[in-house]
Amino acid sequence: MEQVQSNLSEIYDETPVNYQVSADNGYSTDMNTEYLEQNGFDGYISSRKLSREQKKYNLSDKPFAKDNFFYDNEMMTYICPLGQPLYKISEYTYKNKSRISHWTKECKTYPMQLFCSKGNRCRVIQD
């Protein structure tokens, strides 16, 4: 986002108020969103899920793909397509990026568990 600001400063003496900026989903981070907000930009950055929907990514072939899990902001947890919550279990850093793991062991009792996770494991979602 700072590079965008730098590029704009070469074009404009003063960046117009509420300037609109768009980017692909690779730029969809909290830090970039905060930067846009703090600097008065009207930003449009696609999420991974929206990008796949726009590309008509067929999730019906994979009903338990991550994009079919709903994230509940209030509960701070994922909800599987069958309604089972996956709770936050850990936070860690991978390749200098903060990651959060969500999971549930309840899915071991569901008949669809073999389609949702590999082998005898529980479903884990990482963000």
Side-chain angles (χ1 to χ4, degrees), residues 95-110:
K95 293 187 179 181
N96 294 326
K97 293 184 180 179
S98 179
R99 307 280 292 179
I100 300 173
S101 291
H102 296 81
W103 80 297
T104 181
K105 63 181 179 181
E106 298 300 320
C107 59
K108 283 188 172 186
T109 61
Y110 288 125

Side-chain angles (χ1 to χ4, degrees), residues 4-27:
V4 169
Q5 180 74 32
S6 175
N7 292 344
L8 291 173
S9 69
E10 293 178 17
I11 299 170
Y12 299 101
D13 292 332
E14 188 175 311
T15 305
V17 177
N18 226 7
Y19 195 84
Q20 294 180 333
V21 178
S22 67
D24 67 26
N25 65 355
Y27 294 93

Side-chain angles (χ1 to χ4, degrees), residues 69-79 85-86 102:
F69 284 68
F70 170 76
Y71 187 76
D72 185 320
N73 285 319
E74 191 173 304
M75 291 176 51
M76 296 176 57
T77 189
Y78 279 93
I79 309 294
L86 283 77
H102 296 81

